[in-house]
Amino acid sequence: MGSNKRYAAYYDEQAAKRLTESPMKAKCTLPMQAFGPNEIEWVKGSKPPVWAWISWAEGPATRIAAFATGWNDRVVVVEWNESPGGTRNTVVWRNAVTVRS
């Protein structure tokens, strides 16, 4: 089955537009060296719900409802749903995350 060349450019443009028009872009301020010597423990099964303070490239840090996908003694990898952009993730300091009940 072939692709529809008539609309390919249109859909490519729409996908690029969604990526660039995200209201806020997360910036991970943590270099790999900040992760420390301990390996990240990745979640197997359901991801625990958390509140995470996310630093943004433009604007103040905000607390968002997220899910922890991995962590070690220093950092937590969090992900959240951002409509219409889909799922986003970043790495934050462990003390920037609290369990959501």
Side-chain angles (χ1 to χ4, degrees):
M1 179 170 218
S3 63
N4 187 335
K5 294 177 180 144
R6 180 177 180 184
Y7 298 110
Y10 171 79
Y11 287 113
D12 288 344
E13 179 183 329
Q14 293 299 311
K17 188 176 180 183
R18 277 193 301 274
L19 289 174
T20 59
E21 289 183 350
S22 177
M24 294 185 157
K25 295 180 176 65
K27 69 174 185 178
C28 179
T29 58
L30 305 178
M32 290 292 290
Q33 294 85 352
F35 293 14
N38 296 333
E39 294 287 323
I40 300 284
E41 295 178 35
W42 297 102
V43 174
K44 296 177 179 90
S46 64
K47 302 168 192 164
V50 296
W51 290 107
W53 284 95
I54 307 294
S55 296
W56 304 100
E58 300 166 357
T62 55
R63 188 177 122 176
I64 64 165
F67 294 93
T69 60
W71 56 80
N72 69 11
D73 62 325
R74 292 186 182 182
V75 298
V76 179
V77 181
V78 295
E79 77 175 18
W80 66 97
N81 291 326
E82 184 179 273
S83 60
T87 302
R88 304 274 311 264
N89 65 40
T90 193
V91 180
V92 297
W93 291 112
R94 188 174 184 127
N95 63 356
V97 176
T98 56
V99 176
R100 190 167 34 117
S101 52

